[in-house]
Amino acid sequence: MRRSSTFLYSVLCFGYAFLYLPILVLMLYSFNNARLATVWGGFSTRWYSALLENAQILDAALLSLQIAVVSATVATLLGTLAALGLNRMGRYRGRTLFTGMIAAPLVMPEVITGLSLLLFVSLQELTGWPSSRGANTITIAHITFSMAYVAVIVQSRLASMDHSLEEAAMDLGGRPFAVTLDITLPLVAPAMAAGWLLAFTLSLDDLVISSFTSGAGASTLPMVIFSKVKLGVTPEINALATIIIGIVTVGVLIAGWTMLRQQRVNPGH
Amino acid sequence: MSTVVNPGKRDRLWRGVVIATPYLWLLLFFLIPFAIVLKISFADPLVAQPPFSPFFDWTATTGDRILATLDNYRFLLEDKLYLVSYLKSIKIALISTALCLLLGFPMAYAIALTPYPWRNLLLLLVILPFWTSFLLRVYAWMVMLGKQGLINHLLISSGLIDEPLQMLYTDGAVYLGIVYTYVPFMILPLYATLEKLDLDLNEAAADLGARPHQIFRDITLPLALPGIIAGCLLVFIPALGEYVIPALLGGLDSLMIGRTLYDEFFVNRDWPLASAVAVVLLLILILPIMLFQRLQQESDA
């Protein structure tokens, strides 16, 4: 067994090097004074200053953040309702279709989701709505695919939860609305928070569906990044990547650390 | 300003709101759009706004009101480009999935054998890339693989090669990019099944004289099978329709179907043909998707 575990841990080390080396190299080069990737021209923060002066990138970042906050919030509301509808509402007609519509966006290739939403919004001539394509249509598209992720996360929490509290409240005469609000929602709040964060990240990162649904109306941050790096390595994007990855890493580490602490305080979970 | 409502009625109203709101949203923005794709895939392209012919011709007075055409699908079969794109996508997705399994299985196994609290840290390191930008992680490989990238630089300065190798914009770079971005999707379901493995079984088998490769083949592998299938589907399904990776890392000839569809839409503006490409892509994916759903339902039950 000794030899096989040596093999397993060698592959593990190789795997982590494979996962993290390119990102570390990218971060290192963001501080490179030279424009060419290979030549080390000394330490410099010039690409960061260039980034801060790049109005196109800053505008796109702001737009992406707005879309991400709005779409994550609406997706969390709709996704939580969907999870309740699948898990706490018993049987009703059309439930199978509902289950399918929740599951399908998770596995649907982005190009197909993007194409179908674009064809849909391009029927605006018939209905007069939406009046233009841009941030609003991107937001609708993001809500649609990320509410499915929220629904899955909240639903798995609902499924693993003890029903007895809710049943006790019902037996004591609590109305379903009040029971949901006072008992179910506080219990699924951590899952809703996780769902919001995931929806936020998915929205911030989405390129394909945004490109399909935005028309010429708006450019999100991934769309600007994509149009720049398609032509080759861009030092300003290295700086941007370092900032984004830095923020995300710190956020995930804090979240992971908090969760571990909670587990220690509360070993039942 | 409060109106007295019969509580039973209010409960039904609440139930109605909970079910109907997300239901209607998904009908409107998921199912109907997809029905439109299906419909337009049977239309003729037109130079007009919208650029496709109507499905029904309500002005026709004779019985010939349905204007559906199979031309787009016929074209997909006749023009080699599409067939080659589909086959190439399937090949790339299959090989990448196998590579992810080869890398992911030992990683997941090693994590499952690691004692706590180190195991949490190792898991966190697998999950972290999920939260970092997919686009930027693909881009990181452009920095590594380019003619002036790090790898070529190291190879040249170590004297192994004189001329930079063409690594970026090749199929090899596409495989690398897919394995890189999707291997966490393989590791997590594998870990979830391997974590539950009973190591006493291995010891019992060893005590009875089984060799390590026999233990692996007859005990570990069959018990890990649900995780292997789930992981493979989680890699294969998104890899098949991948757009960003072939667009950034692949050469001009790396026509994966996601890229062909995108170009058909944005460059040629042929909406009916793009829709037909999408419908056929979905038909190819239906089997793996249904398999995945069944697997999920079994593990939930």
Side-chain angles (χ1 to χ4, degrees):
Chain A
M1 289 308 278
R2 187 103 221 120
R3 212 173 39 181
S4 57
S5 65
T6 314
F7 166 73
L8 288 179
Y9 281 102
S10 321
V11 178
L12 190 67
C13 290
F14 170 78
Y16 283 127
F18 175 62
L19 282 179
Y20 284 96
L21 213 58
I23 296 177
L24 293 177
V25 169
L26 179 67
M27 291 173 127
L28 185 71
Y29 275 126
S30 75
F31 295 105
N32 184 4
N33 195 25
R35 180 167 276 278
L36 285 179
T38 43
V39 195
W40 181 253
F43 179 85
S44 154
T45 52
R46 63 183 274 212
W47 303 116
Y48 289 85
S49 354
L51 186 68
L52 289 178
E53 280 159 20
N54 190 325
Q56 189 198 11
I57 290 182
L58 292 182
D59 286 349
L62 201 64
L63 179 71
S64 280
L65 281 174
Q66 283 169 350
I67 293 175
V69 167
V70 175
S71 68
T73 308
V74 180
T76 305
L77 287 175
L78 287 173
T80 307
L81 287 181
L84 287 171
L86 287 176
N87 222 289
R88 287 293 189 271
M89 294 292 155
R91 296 183 172 280
Y92 44 89
R93 254 197 314 175
R95 194 177 178 283
T96 318
L97 178 65
F98 197 22
T99 318
M101 285 195 301
I102 292 285
L106 304 177
V107 285
M108 188 70 93
E110 288 176 313
V111 280
I112 298 184
T113 311
L115 178 72
S116 65
L117 278 162
L118 170 56
L119 295 179
F120 180 66
V121 297
S122 67
L123 294 180
Q124 65 196 57
E125 289 89 56
L126 298 179
T127 57
W129 182 91
S131 52
S132 67
R133 277 190 272 142
N136 53 350
T137 44
I138 299 175
T139 309
I140 290 173
H142 286 188
I143 291 168
T144 308
F145 74 78
S146 47
M147 72 178 273
Y149 286 87
V150 176
V152 168
I153 293 175
V154 175
Q155 204 196 343
S156 73
R157 174 81 184 123
L158 282 173
S160 68
M161 239 166 61
D162 193 359
H163 288 220
S164 56
L165 272 178
E166 289 157 298
E167 276 161 15
M170 294 276 206
D171 289 346
L172 293 170
R175 310 306 320 173
F177 176 69
V179 171
T180 308
L181 211 63
D182 294 339
I183 299 184
T184 318
L185 282 188
L187 287 172
V188 295
M192 286 170 72
W196 190 92
L197 276 176
L198 185 61
F200 179 80
T201 323
L202 287 170
S203 165
L204 215 53
D205 197 28
D206 172 67
L207 168 72
V208 174
I209 295 173
S210 302
S211 308
F212 271 104
T213 46
S214 91
S219 291
T220 62
L221 190 58
M223 287 161 71
V224 172
I225 295 176
F226 185 69
S227 68
K228 283 192 183 298
V229 303
K230 226 163 109 178
L231 307 171
V233 173
T234 319
E236 284 171 35
I237 300 297
N238 297 354
L240 181 68
T242 307
I243 295 174
I244 293 178
I245 293 171
I247 293 173
V248 170
T249 308
V250 171
V252 170
L253 287 180
I254 289 175
W257 189 66
T258 326
M259 263 158 52
L260 282 182
R261 267 179 69 103
Q262 274 176 350
Q263 274 180 357
R264 240 171 265 158
V265 176
N266 209 349
H269 294 274
Chain B
M1 209 18 254
S2 72
T3 45
V4 181
V5 191
N6 163 357
K9 206 172 177 182
R10 212 168 47 194
D11 295 346
R12 273 202 303 277
L13 185 71
W14 167 236
R15 188 182 143 93
V17 168
V18 167
I19 296 171
T21 320
Y23 208 114
L24 288 178
W25 183 283
L26 286 170
L27 274 183
L28 192 61
F29 294 114
F30 185 77
L31 202 65
I32 294 177
F34 191 71
I36 294 174
V37 171
L38 203 61
K39 188 201 115 171
I40 293 179
S41 74
F42 293 105
D44 276 322
L46 289 180
V47 184
Q49 190 63 262
F52 53 86
S53 65
F55 194 71
F56 297 107
D57 181 6
W58 298 113
T59 55
T61 45
T62 54
D64 212 18
R65 276 191 176 165
I66 297 177
L67 294 181
T69 165
L70 284 173
D71 283 356
N72 300 306
Y73 292 96
R74 208 170 292 137
F75 191 70
L76 286 188
L77 279 177
E78 281 166 6
D79 192 326
K80 281 249 165 52
L81 171 80
Y82 300 98
L83 205 61
V84 168
S85 290
Y86 282 117
L87 290 177
K88 187 156 185 184
S89 298
I90 293 173
K91 179 184 143 200
I92 290 184
L94 278 177
I95 295 178
S96 311
T97 306
L99 292 173
C100 277
L101 184 61
L102 279 178
L103 178 63
F105 195 95
M107 287 182 75
Y109 205 8
I111 296 173
L113 291 178
T114 307
Y116 288 104
W118 292 110
R119 196 193 286 194
N120 286 329
L121 178 72
L122 294 179
L123 274 176
L124 194 65
L125 284 173
V126 174
I127 296 168
L128 189 58
F130 273 119
W131 295 89
T132 32
S133 167
F134 166 76
L135 178 61
L136 290 173
R137 286 189 299 129
V138 175
Y139 167 65
W141 279 103
M142 294 180 72
V143 177
M144 298 285 282
L145 296 175
K147 278 234 162 101
Q148 294 159 338
L150 183 78
I151 295 177
N152 265 322
H153 179 63
L154 290 177
L155 287 174
I156 290 177
S157 56
S158 67
L160 283 172
I161 54 170
D162 301 321
E163 289 283 301
L165 297 173
Q166 179 69 47
M167 288 182 288
L168 191 58
Y169 309 128
T170 61
D171 283 356
V174 176
Y175 286 116
L176 193 72
I178 294 179
V179 173
Y180 179 69
T181 43
Y182 290 117
V183 79
F185 288 90
M186 180 67 85
I187 297 175
L188 290 180
L190 278 176
Y191 165 77
T193 50
L194 289 172
E195 178 204 35
K196 289 184 229 132
L197 275 190
D198 189 354
L199 289 179
D200 291 346
L201 281 177
N202 290 13
E203 271 178 42
D207 289 347
L208 294 169
R211 300 184 155 279
H213 73 264
Q214 286 176 318
I215 297 176
F216 182 76
R217 192 191 61 204
D218 295 338
I219 298 177
T220 313
L221 216 51
L223 287 174
L225 201 61
I228 293 176
I229 297 173
C232 286
L233 291 171
L234 275 177
V235 175
F236 180 80
I237 294 169
L240 191 69
E242 186 53 56
Y243 168 72
V244 175
I245 296 170
L248 285 185
L249 302 180
L252 284 175
D253 60 332
S254 89
L255 286 169
M256 285 184 77
I257 197 66
R259 197 174 168 190
T260 309
L261 193 162
Y262 195 94
D263 289 346
E264 203 57 67
F265 195 88
F266 284 105
V267 183
N268 298 345
R269 302 205 65 82
D270 190 338
W271 292 15
L273 193 60
S275 301
V277 172
V279 171
V280 174
L281 174 59
L282 205 63
L283 285 178
I284 298 174
L285 280 174
I286 271 187
L287 210 66
I289 287 176
M290 282 171 62
L291 192 64
F292 182 70
Q293 306 279 33
R294 169 164 292 186
L295 215 65
Q296 290 298 99
Q297 275 160 11
E298 272 170 22
S299 71
D300 285 347

